[in-house]
Amino acid sequence: DLAHDLGDTCAEVLGIDVDRGAIETAIDHVRHNRPRGRVTFSRRDISAQSLARCLPAPAGRELVILDPPRRGTDPGVIACLAARGPLRVAHIFCGVEAIPEAVSHWLRS
């Protein structure tokens, strides 16, 4: 839902999720809502290695929305995303106990 909503305000949106059902639902939303921007989806695990392979080279103003599972992000994901130099990051948490460690990773990266 986040990716297709951003499609009306961003020129290009790339949504990545490991869950096939989430990707299929997102594609269906885009098909019915027809956002103005280019919205694409990729089903893959979200690791530093997979992101390095699938993300295009950083170009201009980039926004990141990171919504990991309850267990948090895999090692290296925050550093990989921070290295891209995004303009803004929204990191969503299922539990407040994960916030201090993640913020520490963002600050170091």
Side-chain angles (χ1 to χ4, degrees), residues 81-98:
L81 294 172
R84 298 178 60 79
L87 180 66
R88 297 278 188 268
V89 175
H91 187 151
I92 299 167
F93 295 91
C94 293
V96 296
E97 67 280 352

Side-chain angles (χ1 to χ4, degrees), residues 52-95:
R53 284 192 304 268
C54 79
L55 292 177
R61 298 168 44 143
E62 185 170 278
L63 307 173
V64 172
I65 298 176
L66 181 60
D67 186 6
R70 181 168 287 283
R71 65 175 167 71
T73 60
D74 284 351
V77 168
I78 289 173
C80 176
L81 294 172
R84 298 178 60 79
L87 180 66
R88 297 278 188 268
V89 175
H91 187 151
I92 299 167
F93 295 91
C94 293

Side-chain angles (χ1 to χ4, degrees), residues 2 14 19-20 25-26 30 33 38-39 44 46 50 55 57 63 72 74 80-81 88 107 109:
L2 292 172
L14 172 60
D19 184 83
R20 181 181 310 278
T25 299
V30 168
N33 295 320
R38 181 173 160 227
V39 180
R44 63 183 63 237
I46 300 173
S50 69
L55 292 177
L63 307 173
D74 284 351
C80 176
L81 294 172
R88 297 278 188 268
L107 291 173
S109 299

Side-chain angles (χ1 to χ4, degrees), residues 28-41:
D28 190 50
H29 280 284
V30 168
R31 221 178 265 135
H32 287 94
N33 295 320
R34 305 270 187 223
R36 288 188 295 264
R38 181 173 160 227
V39 180
T40 57
F41 298 98

